[in-house]
Amino acid sequence: MVAQHFVPVQSHTPDRYFNRDWSTTVRNRSQIAVSLLAALTILGMSPASQAADAPAPVTGEVVKVTKLTPEQLRKVNAAGAQRSGAAEGRAVCFQAHVRNKGWSATLCTDGTTPGFTGTVGENKPIDRIKFYVGTTGAMNFNVQAHWAETGTGAERHIAPGGSFEFSHNGGQPIQALRFRSTNESMKAAAHVQGVGWKGTDQWSYDQWIGSIGENRWMEAFWIAI
């Protein structure tokens, strides 16, 4: 009789318990997943719906992409070669278009030509800008603009040896600029309408200059790397 109390019941082995419980768990989780996906789809929150609802680019932003002329390429690469202690020779040149005045001076980040592009004390907005990136050192340079009425545009990558020109087909002035690089730190500042120069004076790989939400346009700026 003692032996009968300790004889295992083969139909209830641990393996069979495990397999039965695991199957039940998988089935239950599958049912929950299907129910959750159905609920999200009804609410417009399914993965496909999220991908389709990506924010649209700023209306009216115009970007012209061109290759540098031989003279522009020589200028920006020479600027890189002038940078003290910079073996890579990276450099960016930039130019501002001032409303009712035209293109201002073209400067480069080597620091050999001090100053800024744009105007100060004339109460004139920048409504267009150009950037040139040299081929030496393969700098990863990205720019983003914030416009007076339509907001922030898309971030744009400027390939080495290339030129980008930003403007708005409605003639809106630029209020702020973002500069981002993955392989070069930068300093920059902007002269803001009614305020003056605004900048952190700190080296950074990612920074905004100008103003957002203050209804003030940018009048001048400079960059250093």
Side-chain angles (χ1 to χ4, degrees):
M1 296 295 294
V2 174
Q4 291 178 355
H5 286 291
F6 291 92
V7 173
V9 180
Q10 297 298 321
S11 62
H12 292 162
T13 61
D15 287 343
R16 293 193 61 180
Y17 270 120
F18 174 81
N19 292 335
R20 186 188 63 186
D21 292 345
W22 176 250
S23 299
T24 302
T25 300
V26 170
R27 184 170 61 254
N28 290 342
R29 289 183 178 179
S30 299
Q31 291 172 346
I32 292 172
V34 170
S35 300
L36 179 59
L37 182 58
L40 289 175
T41 302
I42 293 173
L43 295 173
M45 297 172 59
S46 68
S49 176
Q50 288 177 322
D53 293 337
V58 168
T59 302
E61 187 175 62
V62 179
V63 178
K64 295 181 181 179
V65 183
T66 59
K67 290 185 177 180
L68 296 181
T69 66
E71 177 58 26
Q72 290 171 333
L73 186 59
R74 184 205 63 77
K75 180 179 178 65
V76 69
N77 282 345
Q82 291 292 325
R83 291 179 57 218
S84 174
E88 299 88 354
R90 299 184 184 120
V92 174
C93 295
F94 47 97
Q95 185 179 18
H97 185 273
V98 180
R99 180 180 292 174
N100 299 325
K101 186 168 184 174
W103 288 103
S104 188
T106 299
L107 300 182
C108 298
T109 53
D110 59 342
T112 57
T113 305
F116 55 84
T117 185
T119 60
V120 170
E122 299 184 25
N123 197 33
K124 295 181 182 295
I126 293 175
D127 57 11
R128 193 180 304 173
I129 49 174
K130 290 180 181 179
F131 294 96
Y132 313 143
V133 177
T135 54
T136 307
M139 181 175 178
N140 186 337
F141 187 66
N142 306 276
V143 181
Q144 195 170 11
H146 183 86
W147 303 93
E149 298 175 22
T150 52
T152 303
E155 183 182 66
R156 313 283 181 169
H157 173 69
I158 306 177
S163 168
F164 260 51
E165 179 181 329
F166 287 79
S167 62
H168 194 281
N169 60 18
Q172 295 180 23
I174 294 172
Q175 293 184 335
L177 289 170
R178 178 192 182 194
F179 305 126
R180 186 178 68 84
S181 174
T182 59
N183 59 3
E184 194 70 72
S185 60
M186 298 168 283
K187 282 199 302 186
H191 195 276
V192 177
Q193 175 194 19
V195 175
W197 287 104
K198 292 182 67 174
T200 62
D201 199 34
Q202 294 181 354
W203 295 101
S204 172
Y205 287 87
D206 188 347
Q207 62 180 291
W208 280 93
I209 61 171
S211 65
I212 295 178
E214 299 179 14
N215 195 29
R216 300 177 186 274
W217 59 56
M218 183 185 295
E219 297 178 338
F221 72 93
W222 59 262
I223 316 169
I225 63 174

